[in-house]
Every structure is written in structure tokens, then in C-alpha cells.
Amino acid sequence: VQLQASGGGLVQAGGSLRLSCQGSGNIFRLNVVSWYRQPPGKQRELVADISEGGNAKYVDSVKGRFIISRDNAANTVYLQMNSLKPEDTGAYYCNVDPMVRYQWWGDYEHWGQGTLVTVSS
């Protein structure tokens, strides 16, 4: 079972990127899926999450700019990032709740491969 984030890249400030997170197996079924980011030299932080029913929450710094969505049939969660700022730069990861991580991988701190977003000023 894997979580694979993709879609990152280099973009100028004000631009847009769409990240995708593919979950294998049924890891996303019935579970909240979250996007996190880790800016260079800083700790990882929660950016947004979405329930299976589509209820979305965002950190204040991305409200009105980022949109999280999911395609349950495709086991995929997306993060549309608009009006990007240099402070959005970082490695972006998708993940499920720590309790779900433990159920699937036996590790509360299991993380898949992230995707790097670089926003130039």
C-alpha cells in the first residue's frame, strides 16, 4: 500500500499547480485525507484535509487560494493551488490520520514520497 504525491514543480508567484495523491488499495476509503507541506528548514505542517464526503478544511494561510478535492472511485485526492506565493515553497505530502497509518503500516509516522513545489518571486 502506497501514497504517491505528484504534480509539483517550479512556478512563478501568482501561478498555479495541481497536485495529485494516488492511494493504492482501499487506504482512502472512509478516511480523511490530508495534504501537508514542509518548507525548507521548517517542520511539516497541515495544509488541508477532506473527508470521504467532501467536507474540506484549510489552514488560514491557504484559504481562498487552495482547493482540496477527491475522486473516491479513483482513490485520488487533489490539491489545486492558485495565486501561489514564495512562502508556499516546500515538499508536499499526502497522508491519512496517524491511527489509520498504524492500521495499514504499523507506524504512526509513515510518510510516502512527497512532491516538491518551488515558487519563485
Side-chain angles (χ1 to χ4, degrees), residues 13-81:
S16 298
L17 283 174
R18 189 192 195 203
L19 306 184
S20 298
C21 174
Q22 179 75 45
S24 60
N26 290 320
I27 184 69
F28 287 168
R29 187 171 181 268
L30 301 178
N31 291 315
V32 172
V33 181
S34 305
W35 280 101
Y36 298 80
R37 68 185 176 193
Q38 187 166 16
K42 297 184 179 180
Q43 290 188 334
R44 191 153 26 206
E45 61 180 359
L46 177 66
V47 174
D49 58 39
I50 187 167
S51 68
E52 188 184 40
N55 186 34
K57 298 178 182 178
Y58 303 90
V59 67
D60 285 347
S61 60
V62 307
K63 284 181 180 178
R65 300 189 298 121
F66 290 12
I67 301 172
I68 188 171
S69 61
R70 63 191 291 166
D71 182 341
N72 291 330
N75 293 318
T76 304
V77 175
Y78 304 97
L79 187 68
Q80 177 67 43
M81 306 188 296

Side-chain angles (χ1 to χ4, degrees), residues 14 29 37 42 49 51 54 58 60 66 74 84 91-92 96-97 99 101 108 111-113 118-119 121:
R29 187 171 181 268
R37 68 185 176 193
K42 297 184 179 180
D49 58 39
S51 68
Y58 303 90
D60 285 347
F66 290 12
L84 282 162
Y92 283 70
V96 290
D97 181 85
M99 290 301 297
R101 297 174 208 166
Y108 294 109
W111 291 90
Q113 184 175 355
T118 303
V119 184
S121 58

